[in-house]
Amino acid sequence: MNNYNQVTDEIIEQIKSSVSGKVYVGDEVSEDFYQDEMPIYGLSEPDVLVDVHTAEDVSAVLKICNENKIPVLARGAGTGLVGSGVAIKHGVMLNMQTMNKILEYDEENMVVRVQPGVLLNDLAQDCLSKGYLYPPDPGEKFATLGGNVSTNAGGMRAVKYGTTRDYVRSMEVVLPNGEITKFGAVISKSSTGYSLKDLMIGSEGTLGVITELTLKIVPNPNATISLIVPFEDLHECISTVPKLLNSNLNPQAIEFMERNIVLASEKYIGKETFPKNIDGVDANAYLLITFDGDDEDSLYEDIEKAAEILTDNGAIDVLVADTPNQIKDAWAARSSFLEAIESQHKLLDECDVVVPITEIADYIEFVNEAAEEYMFDVKSFGHAGDGNLHIYTLSNEEDKIDQFKDEVNEFMYVIYKKAYDLGGKLSGEHGVGSGKINYLRDFEGGVNTGLMRGIKKVFDPNMILNPDKIITAE
């Protein structure tokens, strides 16, 4: 157990005199910085909030905090779902949203240099305006890029393009002692010792603070077409995915969703897109599939092959969205799943477990059967193309919050064990934070967590940086 020191008036004055941005103290800190998007993991106010504008600002604050053994946390937009952006030890919070410039495109090397506070949506739109695509596509478009990198966010296009990790070429990092260094390079390959860059990706701000990123971009595809594919049976729906992936059609995204989550989302956005009954057959599960490529003619050839595979394996119908508005409408409900859930339930928790794609169907059936033993409802959806599943436990019985938390904890142990038995992992993209820290310890085991703790101590001997996230001191 680490014993941290309190932030004193003297330390506050040191910080104020060392940075170019504004410093907020006590009641001046907005409550927006007290929690992330999963309030069930608690809220906690930082003693000090600092608007940082440069790596030198970050360095100055970290030096002060390291010398005085004060907890410090770098925070982006606060859209995380595991408590990583919450100052559970109080201390100093760095507001990274103030470092929000797209700095430079290097079109010859096909990279873009950005500050960590740039929003994913802003970079995506800026790239499109120049004829490029930044492929990582997490569901929360208004998260910061620094946050995306810190959780190795995946998203819907990961099945074709990969996760955020695959697009980080280099980064500027401030270490907990205040040293400024650089990991990686513009080059596309390297076997130069340990990959320190890759240690930082997914580390949730526990090893260093990212102050600049160089990200890979690709030419924007000329054509995009989406398919809405209803099935009567969930098992048939998900079991079709490996057959589609083995067909050499290279889809950009394959999402699956159950009927109940579609109904909730369409109610939330006020528009129906997904068919509920086709020729007297109820649709109980759906695939939402996107293809992209150089031209529509070749895409339509792929879609004809895909439609044949889908109908041969139980699809009730295959609906084509091939105009910008149709594609936008097709994805609107999927993009609103989390907001719909939040708007309709007072208590919620979630996991983003990942299993082999061949096991998705059996795993979801296991989850649904296991959930029948508990007080809460369960809604599931996810990235069928890479096995990353989002499973939400939901209730409106606020007076039973303690029972809800206890039962969810028990349920999570049950479904995580099943995932590991099938060859899966705890998280595909949301991370561990504080909300999943006990599960990581129990399912990754003593050897792996011991190695993680050792890495943490090499980077951060005083354990000041985002403490008690991912791994504890002992």
Side-chain angles (χ1 to χ4, degrees):
M1 181 68 70
N2 275 53
N3 295 313
Y4 297 103
N5 293 320
Q6 297 295 313
V7 178
T8 64
D9 291 341
E10 181 183 353
I11 289 171
I12 292 170
E13 290 306 313
Q14 285 184 45
I15 293 173
K16 286 182 175 179
S17 64
S18 300
V19 299
S20 58
K22 191 168 181 180
V23 177
Y24 308 84
V25 180
D27 293 341
E28 297 173 346
V29 179
S30 168
E31 292 183 4
D32 292 342
F33 293 92
Y34 288 12
Q35 66 180 53
D36 66 4
E37 285 294 315
M38 195 57 66
I40 198 164
Y41 299 141
L43 54 85
S44 184
E45 68 278 10
D47 299 308
V48 180
L49 176 72
V50 184
D51 288 343
V52 290
H53 294 286
T54 65
E56 288 71 26
D57 284 348
V58 174
S59 174
V61 175
L62 288 181
K63 284 178 181 176
I64 293 167
C65 290
N66 194 51
E67 289 168 1
N68 292 279
K69 204 174 183 185
I70 291 168
V72 59
L73 161 65
R75 175 177 165 119
T79 60
L81 295 169
V82 293
S84 268
V86 182
I88 57 176
K89 296 293 185 181
H90 307 292
V92 176
M93 179 178 283
L94 304 175
N95 178 19
M96 305 305 293
Q97 295 176 91
T98 44
M99 296 183 68
N100 55 12
K101 294 182 177 63
I102 298 173
L103 299 171
E104 177 188 23
Y105 283 86
D106 178 349
E107 298 185 41
E108 292 184 342
N109 287 302
M110 291 296 286
V111 295
V112 58
R113 196 163 56 89
V114 300
Q115 292 184 318
V118 173
L119 300 182
L120 171 64
N121 185 73
D122 291 347
L123 178 63
Q125 294 302 316
D126 199 61
C127 281
L128 288 175
S129 73
K130 294 174 170 56
Y132 301 120
L133 177 71
Y134 176 64
D137 188 37
E140 177 51 75
K141 303 299 186 280
F142 295 93
T144 62
L145 293 168
N148 284 173
V149 172
S150 293
T151 57
N152 187 31
M156 303 171 205
R157 292 195 286 243
V159 61
K160 178 175 182 176
Y161 290 105
T163 64
T164 297
R165 180 183 302 279
D166 301 301
Y167 293 86
V168 181
R169 287 287 177 82
S170 70
M171 60 176 70
E172 180 184 71
V173 176
V174 184
L175 300 176
N177 64 2
E179 287 187 74
I180 302 173
T181 188
K182 186 175 182 179
F183 299 150
V186 171
I187 54 176
S188 60
K189 61 190 293 189
S190 171
S191 295
T192 313
Y194 299 136
S195 180
L196 300 175
K197 166 180 70 75
D198 284 295
L199 273 178
M200 285 293 300
I201 300 168
S203 66
E204 300 179 46
T206 61
L207 303 181
V209 177
I210 298 168
T211 51
E212 189 179 297
L213 291 161
T214 300
L215 303 170
K216 174 186 171 184
I217 53 178
V218 300
N220 189 40
N222 294 322
T224 302
I225 298 176
S226 288
L227 305 178
I228 297 174
V229 190
F231 286 79
E232 184 179 12
D233 178 75
L234 174 66
H235 195 279
E236 280 188 339
C237 173
I238 303 175
S239 295
T240 305
V241 173
K243 298 169 185 176
L244 199 63
L245 290 173
N246 288 335
S247 63
N248 202 32
L249 295 175
N250 203 19
Q252 180 205 87
I254 310 176
E255 298 291 295
F256 93 89
M257 55 219 70
E258 296 183 85
R259 179 187 181 98
N260 59 4
I261 188 68
V262 169
L263 292 173
S265 184
E266 290 185 339
K267 178 182 177 182
Y268 175 74
I269 65 175
K271 186 171 187 176
E272 292 190 18
T273 305
F274 288 70
K276 312 303 182 298
N277 184 285
I278 301 96
D279 296 330
V281 180
D282 284 336
N284 295 307
Y286 303 86
L287 293 178
L288 178 56
I289 307 167
T290 294
F291 294 87
D292 64 15
D294 292 334
D295 61 84
E296 282 196 355
D297 289 342
S298 61
L299 279 190
Y300 275 113
E301 291 178 12
D302 289 344
I303 285 170
E304 287 179 8
K305 295 176 186 175
E308 184 177 346
I309 293 168
L310 291 162
T311 53
D312 285 349
N313 286 277
I316 306 171
D317 200 355
V318 178
L319 309 177
V320 178
D322 56 3
T323 70
N325 283 339
Q326 288 174 333
I327 294 170
K328 181 180 178 181
D329 288 346
W331 283 91
R334 169 60 184 89
S335 298
S336 300
F337 282 173
L338 178 54
E339 290 86 351
I341 287 171
E342 289 176 332
S343 72
Q344 295 166 30
H345 298 89
K346 303 295 184 183
L347 301 176
L348 69 156
D349 200 349
E350 69 92 44
C351 72
D352 76 310
V353 65
V354 59
V355 298
I357 58 171
T358 53
E359 305 290 351
I360 297 174
D362 289 341
Y363 184 74
I364 289 295
E365 287 188 354
F366 174 87
V367 167
N368 289 342
E369 289 175 9
E372 293 175 3
E373 304 295 321
Y374 299 97
M375 65 168 283
F376 45 77
D377 295 325
V378 166
K379 286 185 169 65
S380 302
F381 57 92
H383 313 308
D386 57 28
N388 187 195
L389 314 174
H390 301 305
I391 298 166
Y392 281 81
T393 55
L394 308 163
S395 174
N396 280 312
E397 298 184 77
E398 288 185 277
D399 58 329
K400 296 181 180 179
I401 186 171
D402 290 337
Q403 180 186 351
F404 176 80
K405 287 182 175 180
D406 289 343
E407 290 195 16
V408 166
N409 183 56
E410 182 180 316
F411 174 70
M412 290 294 181
Y413 269 106
V414 170
I415 65 173
Y416 280 137
K417 182 180 185 305
K418 182 66 172 179
Y420 272 77
D421 287 345
L422 294 173
K425 285 288 185 179
L426 186 78
S427 171
E429 58 187 357
H430 294 166
V432 176
S434 61
K436 309 299 180 185
I437 195 167
N438 291 334
Y439 307 123
L440 179 83
R441 177 197 63 212
D442 293 342
F443 287 104
E444 284 296 314
V447 172
N448 288 0
T449 53
L451 290 168
M452 293 180 198
R453 186 173 293 109
I455 291 168
K456 166 70 171 170
K457 287 183 176 178
V458 168
F459 275 80
D460 184 15
N462 287 328
M463 307 293 278
I464 63 162
L465 199 54
N466 207 6
D468 287 358
K469 310 293 174 59
I470 303 182
I471 206 80
T472 54
E474 299 297 339

PDB file of all heavy atoms in Angstrom, residues 228-256:
ATOM      1  N   ILE A 228     -27.716  -4.887 -43.946  1.00  0.00           N
ATOM      2  CA  ILE A 228     -28.467  -5.224 -42.740  1.00  0.00           C
ATOM      3  C   ILE A 228     -29.015  -6.627 -42.956  1.00  0.00           C
ATOM      4  O   ILE A 228     -29.762  -6.872 -43.915  1.00  0.00           O
ATOM      5  CB  ILE A 228     -29.609  -4.237 -42.486  1.00  0.00           C
ATOM      6  CG1 ILE A 228     -29.061  -2.829 -42.236  1.00  0.00           C
ATOM      7  CG2 ILE A 228     -30.450  -4.694 -41.294  1.00  0.00           C
ATOM      8  CD1 ILE A 228     -30.138  -1.767 -42.111  1.00  0.00           C
ATOM      9  N   VAL A 229     -28.644  -7.550 -42.068  1.00  0.00           N
ATOM     10  CA  VAL A 229     -28.969  -8.956 -42.285  1.00  0.00           C
ATOM     11  C   VAL A 229     -29.717  -9.515 -41.069  1.00  0.00           C
ATOM     12  O   VAL A 229     -29.114  -9.795 -40.031  1.00  0.00           O
ATOM     13  CB  VAL A 229     -27.698  -9.786 -42.541  1.00  0.00           C
ATOM     14  CG1 VAL A 229     -28.070 -11.192 -42.997  1.00  0.00           C
ATOM     15  CG2 VAL A 229     -26.794  -9.109 -43.568  1.00  0.00           C
ATOM     16  N   PRO A 230     -31.039  -9.667 -41.172  1.00  0.00           N
ATOM     17  CA  PRO A 230     -31.813 -10.216 -40.050  1.00  0.00           C
ATOM     18  C   PRO A 230     -31.806 -11.748 -40.058  1.00  0.00           C
ATOM     19  O   PRO A 230     -31.821 -12.386 -41.113  1.00  0.00           O
ATOM     20  CB  PRO A 230     -33.224  -9.678 -40.325  1.00  0.00           C
ATOM     21  CG  PRO A 230     -33.285  -9.501 -41.801  1.00  0.00           C
ATOM     22  CD  PRO A 230     -31.890  -9.174 -42.266  1.00  0.00           C
ATOM     23  N   PHE A 231     -31.797 -12.314 -38.855  1.00  0.00           N
ATOM     24  CA  PHE A 231     -31.885 -13.762 -38.657  1.00  0.00           C
ATOM     25  C   PHE A 231     -32.992 -14.053 -37.655  1.00  0.00           C
ATOM     26  O   PHE A 231     -33.258 -13.255 -36.747  1.00  0.00           O
ATOM     27  CB  PHE A 231     -30.573 -14.320 -38.091  1.00  0.00           C
ATOM     28  CG  PHE A 231     -29.434 -14.392 -39.062  1.00  0.00           C
ATOM     29  CD1 PHE A 231     -28.700 -13.252 -39.381  1.00  0.00           C
ATOM     30  CD2 PHE A 231     -29.069 -15.597 -39.639  1.00  0.00           C
ATOM     31  CE1 PHE A 231     -27.629 -13.314 -40.262  1.00  0.00           C
ATOM     32  CE2 PHE A 231     -28.003 -15.670 -40.524  1.00  0.00           C
ATOM     33  CZ  PHE A 231     -27.278 -14.532 -40.840  1.00  0.00           C
ATOM     34  N   GLU A 232     -33.595 -15.209 -37.789  1.00  0.00           N
ATOM     35  CA  GLU A 232     -34.585 -15.629 -36.803  1.00  0.00           C
ATOM     36  C   GLU A 232     -33.915 -16.129 -35.536  1.00  0.00           C
ATOM     37  O   GLU A 232     -34.416 -15.957 -34.425  1.00  0.00           O
ATOM     38  CB  GLU A 232     -35.472 -16.734 -37.388  1.00  0.00           C
ATOM     39  CG  GLU A 232     -36.596 -17.173 -36.453  1.00  0.00           C
ATOM     40  CD  GLU A 232     -37.476 -18.240 -37.070  1.00  0.00           C
ATOM     41  OE1 GLU A 232     -37.098 -18.811 -38.111  1.00  0.00           O
ATOM     42  OE2 GLU A 232     -38.567 -18.489 -36.499  1.00  0.00           O
ATOM     43  N   ASP A 233     -32.723 -16.700 -35.692  1.00  0.00           N
ATOM     44  CA  ASP A 233     -32.052 -17.386 -34.586  1.00  0.00           C
ATOM     45  C   ASP A 233     -30.683 -16.764 -34.315  1.00  0.00           C
ATOM     46  O   ASP A 233     -29.887 -16.566 -35.247  1.00  0.00           O
ATOM     47  CB  ASP A 233     -31.884 -18.873 -34.936  1.00  0.00           C
ATOM     48  CG  ASP A 233     -31.151 -19.649 -33.865  1.00  0.00           C
ATOM     49  OD1 ASP A 233     -31.757 -19.924 -32.820  1.00  0.00           O
ATOM     50  OD2 ASP A 233     -29.960 -19.967 -34.087  1.00  0.00           O
ATOM     51  N   LEU A 234     -30.403 -16.459 -33.051  1.00  0.00           N
ATOM     52  CA  LEU A 234     -29.134 -15.839 -32.664  1.00  0.00           C
ATOM     53  C   LEU A 234     -27.953 -16.733 -33.002  1.00  0.00           C
ATOM     54  O   LEU A 234     -26.927 -16.265 -33.506  1.00  0.00           O
ATOM     55  CB  LEU A 234     -29.149 -15.517 -31.169  1.00  0.00           C
ATOM     56  CG  LEU A 234     -27.835 -15.002 -30.580  1.00  0.00           C
ATOM     57  CD1 LEU A 234     -27.473 -13.634 -31.147  1.00  0.00           C
ATOM     58  CD2 LEU A 234     -27.910 -14.936 -29.052  1.00  0.00           C
ATOM     59  N   HIS A 235     -28.065 -18.023 -32.725  1.00  0.00           N
ATOM     60  CA  HIS A 235     -26.949 -18.938 -32.965  1.00  0.00           C
ATOM     61  C   HIS A 235     -26.598 -18.996 -34.443  1.00  0.00           C
ATOM     62  O   HIS A 235     -25.422 -18.944 -34.830  1.00  0.00           O
ATOM     63  CB  HIS A 235     -27.294 -20.327 -32.432  1.00  0.00           C
ATOM     64  CG  HIS A 235     -26.099 -21.226 -32.298  1.00  0.00           C
ATOM     65  ND1 HIS A 235     -25.553 -21.908 -33.371  1.00  0.00           N
ATOM     66  CD2 HIS A 235     -25.318 -21.541 -31.218  1.00  0.00           C
ATOM     67  CE1 HIS A 235     -24.508 -22.607 -32.964  1.00  0.00           C
ATOM     68  NE2 HIS A 235     -24.349 -22.402 -31.658  1.00  0.00           N
ATOM     69  N   GLU A 236     -27.625 -19.085 -35.302  1.00  0.00           N
ATOM     70  CA  GLU A 236     -27.373 -19.081 -36.745  1.00  0.00           C
ATOM     71  C   GLU A 236     -26.714 -17.775 -37.182  1.00  0.00           C
ATOM     72  O   GLU A 236     -25.812 -17.765 -38.021  1.00  0.00           O
ATOM     73  CB  GLU A 236     -28.694 -19.274 -37.507  1.00  0.00           C
ATOM     74  CG  GLU A 236     -29.178 -20.702 -37.599  1.00  0.00           C
ATOM     75  CD  GLU A 236     -30.380 -20.831 -38.519  1.00  0.00           C
ATOM     76  OE1 GLU A 236     -31.055 -19.809 -38.753  1.00  0.00           O
ATOM     77  OE2 GLU A 236     -30.643 -21.953 -38.986  1.00  0.00           O
ATOM     78  N   CYS A 237     -27.185 -16.683 -36.593  1.00  0.00           N
ATOM     79  CA  CYS A 237     -26.658 -15.359 -36.932  1.00  0.00           C
ATOM     80  C   CYS A 237     -25.152 -15.289 -36.701  1.00  0.00           C
ATOM     81  O   CYS A 237     -24.380 -14.972 -37.609  1.00  0.00           O
ATOM     82  CB  CYS A 237     -27.389 -14.306 -36.093  1.00  0.00           C
ATOM     83  SG  CYS A 237     -26.738 -12.630 -36.239  1.00  0.00           S
ATOM     84  N   ILE A 238     -24.737 -15.636 -35.506  1.00  0.00           N
ATOM     85  CA  ILE A 238     -23.323 -15.481 -35.156  1.00  0.00           C
ATOM     86  C   ILE A 238     -22.469 -16.582 -35.780  1.00  0.00           C
ATOM     87  O   ILE A 238     -21.314 -16.353 -36.152  1.00  0.00           O
ATOM     88  CB  ILE A 238     -23.146 -15.441 -33.628  1.00  0.00           C
ATOM     89  CG1 ILE A 238     -23.989 -14.307 -33.023  1.00  0.00           C
ATOM     90  CG2 ILE A 238     -21.694 -15.224 -33.256  1.00  0.00           C
ATOM     91  CD1 ILE A 238     -23.977 -14.259 -31.524  1.00  0.00           C
ATOM     92  N   SER A 239     -23.043 -17.770 -35.929  1.00  0.00           N
ATOM     93  CA  SER A 239     -22.275 -18.878 -36.517  1.00  0.00           C
ATOM     94  C   SER A 239     -21.932 -18.641 -37.979  1.00  0.00           C
ATOM     95  O   SER A 239     -21.033 -19.291 -38.532  1.00  0.00           O
ATOM     96  CB  SER A 239     -23.071 -20.186 -36.393  1.00  0.00           C
ATOM     97  OG  SER A 239     -23.242 -20.540 -35.043  1.00  0.00           O
ATOM     98  N   THR A 240     -22.628 -17.709 -38.615  1.00  0.00           N
ATOM     99  CA  THR A 240     -22.355 -17.390 -40.013  1.00  0.00           C
ATOM    100  C   THR A 240     -21.063 -16.582 -40.173  1.00  0.00           C
ATOM    101  O   THR A 240     -20.442 -16.605 -41.241  1.00  0.00           O
ATOM    102  CB  THR A 240     -23.537 -16.597 -40.607  1.00  0.00           C
ATOM    103  OG1 THR A 240     -24.728 -17.337 -40.418  1.00  0.00           O
ATOM    104  CG2 THR A 240     -23.356 -16.338 -42.087  1.00  0.00           C
ATOM    105  N   VAL A 241     -20.645 -15.893 -39.115  1.00  0.00           N
ATOM    106  CA  VAL A 241     -19.515 -14.967 -39.225  1.00  0.00           C
ATOM    107  C   VAL A 241     -18.219 -15.651 -39.653  1.00  0.00           C
ATOM    108  O   VAL A 241     -17.553 -15.179 -40.587  1.00  0.00           O
ATOM    109  CB  VAL A 241     -19.332 -14.184 -37.903  1.00  0.00           C
ATOM    110  CG1 VAL A 241     -18.060 -13.337 -37.957  1.00  0.00           C
ATOM    111  CG2 VAL A 241     -20.544 -13.298 -37.652  1.00  0.00           C
ATOM    112  N   PRO A 242     -17.797 -16.764 -39.027  1.00  0.00           N
ATOM    113  CA  PRO A 242     -16.555 -17.394 -39.492  1.00  0.00           C
ATOM    114  C   PRO A 242     -16.616 -17.805 -40.956  1.00  0.00           C
ATOM    115  O   PRO A 242     -15.611 -17.717 -41.672  1.00  0.00           O
ATOM    116  CB  PRO A 242     -16.431 -18.624 -38.577  1.00  0.00           C
ATOM    117  CG  PRO A 242     -17.199 -18.273 -37.356  1.00  0.00           C
ATOM    118  CD  PRO A 242     -18.354 -17.445 -37.840  1.00  0.00           C
ATOM    119  N   LYS A 243     -17.788 -18.238 -41.435  1.00  0.00           N
ATOM    120  CA  LYS A 243     -17.931 -18.634 -42.841  1.00  0.00           C
ATOM    121  C   LYS A 243     -17.755 -17.423 -43.756  1.00  0.00           C
ATOM    122  O   LYS A 243     -17.156 -17.516 -44.832  1.00  0.00           O
ATOM    123  CB  LYS A 243     -19.293 -19.285 -43.056  1.00  0.00           C
ATOM    124  CG  LYS A 243     -19.467 -20.560 -42.222  1.00  0.00           C
ATOM    125  CD  LYS A 243     -20.901 -21.051 -42.220  1.00  0.00           C
ATOM    126  CE  LYS A 243     -21.040 -22.238 -41.275  1.00  0.00           C
ATOM    127  NZ  LYS A 243     -22.444 -22.690 -41.154  1.00  0.00           N
ATOM    128  N   LEU A 244     -18.255 -16.281 -43.308  1.00  0.00           N
ATOM    129  CA  LEU A 244     -18.096 -15.057 -44.087  1.00  0.00           C
ATOM    130  C   LEU A 244     -16.630 -14.631 -44.133  1.00  0.00           C
ATOM    131  O   LEU A 244     -16.107 -14.235 -45.182  1.00  0.00           O
ATOM    132  CB  LEU A 244     -18.954 -13.955 -43.468  1.00  0.00           C
ATOM    133  CG  LEU A 244     -19.294 -12.738 -44.326  1.00  0.00           C
ATOM    134  CD1 LEU A 244     -20.115 -13.145 -45.536  1.00  0.00           C
ATOM    135  CD2 LEU A 244     -20.062 -11.719 -43.485  1.00  0.00           C
ATOM    136  N   LEU A 245     -15.956 -14.740 -42.995  1.00  0.00           N
ATOM    137  CA  LEU A 245     -14.549 -14.342 -42.932  1.00  0.00           C
ATOM    138  C   LEU A 245     -13.648 -15.278 -43.731  1.00  0.00           C
ATOM    139  O   LEU A 245     -12.597 -14.869 -44.230  1.00  0.00           O
ATOM    140  CB  LEU A 245     -14.093 -14.291 -41.472  1.00  0.00           C
ATOM    141  CG  LEU A 245     -14.685 -13.161 -40.621  1.00  0.00           C
ATOM    142  CD1 LEU A 245     -14.294 -13.331 -39.161  1.00  0.00           C
ATOM    143  CD2 LEU A 245     -14.241 -11.802 -41.136  1.00  0.00           C
ATOM    144  N   ASN A 246     -14.049 -16.534 -43.851  1.00  0.00           N
ATOM    145  CA  ASN A 246     -13.244 -17.504 -44.598  1.00  0.00           C
ATOM    146  C   ASN A 246     -13.482 -17.445 -46.106  1.00  0.00           C
ATOM    147  O   ASN A 246     -12.867 -18.201 -46.863  1.00  0.00           O
ATOM    148  CB  ASN A 246     -13.536 -18.924 -44.103  1.00  0.00           C
ATOM    149  CG  ASN A 246     -12.962 -19.181 -42.723  1.00  0.00           C
ATOM    150  OD1 ASN A 246     -12.001 -18.532 -42.326  1.00  0.00           O
ATOM    151  ND2 ASN A 246     -13.553 -20.111 -41.990  1.00  0.00           N
ATOM    152  N   SER A 247     -14.355 -16.551 -46.542  1.00  0.00           N
ATOM    153  CA  SER A 247     -14.744 -16.503 -47.950  1.00  0.00           C
ATOM    154  C   SER A 247     -13.881 -15.550 -48.774  1.00  0.00           C
ATOM    155  O   SER A 247     -14.152 -15.322 -49.948  1.00  0.00           O
ATOM    156  CB  SER A 247     -16.202 -16.079 -48.069  1.00  0.00           C
ATOM    157  OG  SER A 247     -16.372 -14.762 -47.560  1.00  0.00           O
ATOM    158  N   ASN A 248     -12.871 -14.940 -48.147  1.00  0.00           N
ATOM    159  CA  ASN A 248     -11.946 -14.033 -48.847  1.00  0.00           C
ATOM    160  C   ASN A 248     -12.638 -12.765 -49.363  1.00  0.00           C
ATOM    161  O   ASN A 248     -12.225 -12.190 -50.369  1.00  0.00           O
ATOM    162  CB  ASN A 248     -11.259 -14.754 -50.001  1.00  0.00           C
ATOM    163  CG  ASN A 248      -9.960 -14.087 -50.413  1.00  0.00           C
ATOM    164  OD1 ASN A 248      -9.260 -13.498 -49.585  1.00  0.00           O
ATOM    165  ND2 ASN A 248      -9.620 -14.154 -51.695  1.00  0.00           N
ATOM    166  N   LEU A 249     -13.686 -12.316 -48.641  1.00  0.00           N
ATOM    167  CA  LEU A 249     -14.410 -11.115 -49.056  1.00  0.00           C
ATOM    168  C   LEU A 249     -13.904  -9.859 -48.347  1.00  0.00           C
ATOM    169  O   LEU A 249     -14.209  -8.752 -48.749  1.00  0.00           O
ATOM    170  CB  LEU A 249     -15.909 -11.295 -48.797  1.00  0.00           C
ATOM    171  CG  LEU A 249     -16.577 -12.394 -49.626  1.00  0.00           C
ATOM    172  CD1 LEU A 249     -18.035 -12.566 -49.212  1.00  0.00           C
ATOM    173  CD2 LEU A 249     -16.482 -12.083 -51.110  1.00  0.00           C
ATOM    174  N   ASN A 250     -13.179 -10.030 -47.251  1.00  0.00           N
ATOM    175  CA  ASN A 250     -12.515  -8.923 -46.541  1.00  0.00           C
ATOM    176  C   ASN A 250     -13.470  -7.787 -46.148  1.00  0.00           C
ATOM    177  O   ASN A 250     -13.277  -6.626 -46.557  1.00  0.00           O
ATOM    178  CB  ASN A 250     -11.377  -8.363 -47.401  1.00  0.00           C
ATOM    179  CG  ASN A 250     -10.328  -7.646 -46.565  1.00  0.00           C
ATOM    180  OD1 ASN A 250     -10.239  -7.846 -45.355  1.00  0.00           O
ATOM    181  ND2 ASN A 250      -9.533  -6.815 -47.207  1.00  0.00           N
ATOM    182  N   PRO A 251     -14.507  -8.071 -45.363  1.00  0.00           N
ATOM    183  CA  PRO A 251     -15.409  -7.001 -44.919  1.00  0.00           C
ATOM    184  C   PRO A 251     -14.702  -6.007 -44.012  1.00  0.00           C
ATOM    185  O   PRO A 251     -13.774  -6.364 -43.278  1.00  0.00           O
ATOM    186  CB  PRO A 251     -16.509  -7.749 -44.162  1.00  0.00           C
ATOM    187  CG  PRO A 251     -15.867  -9.031 -43.736  1.00  0.00           C
ATOM    188  CD  PRO A 251     -14.884  -9.379 -44.812  1.00  0.00           C
ATOM    189  N   GLN A 252     -15.146  -4.764 -44.063  1.00  0.00           N
ATOM    190  CA  GLN A 252     -14.573  -3.728 -43.201  1.00  0.00           C
ATOM    191  C   GLN A 252     -15.033  -3.897 -41.762  1.00  0.00           C
ATOM    192  O   GLN A 252     -14.289  -3.689 -40.815  1.00  0.00           O
ATOM    193  CB  GLN A 252     -15.021  -2.353 -43.713  1.00  0.00           C
ATOM    194  CG  GLN A 252     -14.487  -1.174 -42.912  1.00  0.00           C
ATOM    195  CD  GLN A 252     -15.378   0.039 -43.046  1.00  0.00           C
ATOM    196  OE1 GLN A 252     -16.345   0.203 -42.308  1.00  0.00           O
ATOM    197  NE2 GLN A 252     -15.062   0.911 -43.992  1.00  0.00           N
ATOM    198  N   ALA A 253     -16.305  -4.244 -41.574  1.00  0.00           N
ATOM    199  CA  ALA A 253     -16.880  -4.369 -40.231  1.00  0.00           C
ATOM    200  C   ALA A 253     -17.969  -5.427 -40.245  1.00  0.00           C
ATOM    201  O   ALA A 253     -18.701  -5.568 -41.235  1.00  0.00           O
ATOM    202  CB  ALA A 253     -17.454  -3.035 -39.765  1.00  0.00           C
ATOM    203  N   ILE A 254     -18.069  -6.180 -39.150  1.00  0.00           N
ATOM    204  CA  ILE A 254     -19.183  -7.117 -38.945  1.00  0.00           C
ATOM    205  C   ILE A 254     -19.644  -6.967 -37.507  1.00  0.00           C
ATOM    206  O   ILE A 254     -18.936  -7.362 -36.571  1.00  0.00           O
ATOM    207  CB  ILE A 254     -18.787  -8.585 -39.195  1.00  0.00           C
ATOM    208  CG1 ILE A 254     -18.067  -8.767 -40.529  1.00  0.00           C
ATOM    209  CG2 ILE A 254     -20.025  -9.477 -39.121  1.00  0.00           C
ATOM    210  CD1 ILE A 254     -17.579 -10.188 -40.758  1.00  0.00           C
ATOM    211  N   GLU A 255     -20.796  -6.387 -37.327  1.00  0.00           N
ATOM    212  CA  GLU A 255     -21.363  -6.205 -35.996  1.00  0.00           C
ATOM    213  C   GLU A 255     -22.561  -7.144 -35.811  1.00  0.00           C
ATOM    214  O   GLU A 255     -23.315  -7.386 -36.758  1.00  0.00           O
ATOM    215  CB  GLU A 255     -21.843  -4.765 -35.819  1.00  0.00           C
ATOM    216  CG  GLU A 255     -20.733  -3.735 -35.940  1.00  0.00           C
ATOM    217  CD  GLU A 255     -19.768  -3.800 -34.760  1.00  0.00           C
ATOM    218  OE1 GLU A 255     -20.198  -3.510 -33.628  1.00  0.00           O
ATOM    219  OE2 GLU A 255     -18.589  -4.134 -34.992  1.00  0.00           O
ATOM    220  N   PHE A 256     -22.729  -7.651 -34.583  1.00  0.00           N
ATOM    221  CA  PHE A 256     -23.935  -8.424 -34.305  1.00  0.00           C
ATOM    222  C   PHE A 256     -24.705  -7.741 -33.187  1.00  0.00           C
ATOM    223  O   PHE A 256     -24.151  -7.034 -32.342  1.00  0.00           O
ATOM    224  CB  PHE A 256     -23.599  -9.873 -33.919  1.00  0.00           C
ATOM    225  CG  PHE A 256     -23.456 -10.087 -32.437  1.00  0.00           C
ATOM    226  CD1 PHE A 256     -24.552 -10.412 -31.650  1.00  0.00           C
ATOM    227  CD2 PHE A 256     -22.215  -9.952 -31.825  1.00  0.00           C
ATOM    228  CE1 PHE A 256     -24.416 -10.590 -30.292  1.00  0.00           C
ATOM    229  CE2 PHE A 256     -22.072 -10.134 -30.459  1.00  0.00           C
ATOM    230  CZ  PHE A 256     -23.182 -10.454 -29.682  1.00  0.00           C
TER     231      PHE A 256
END
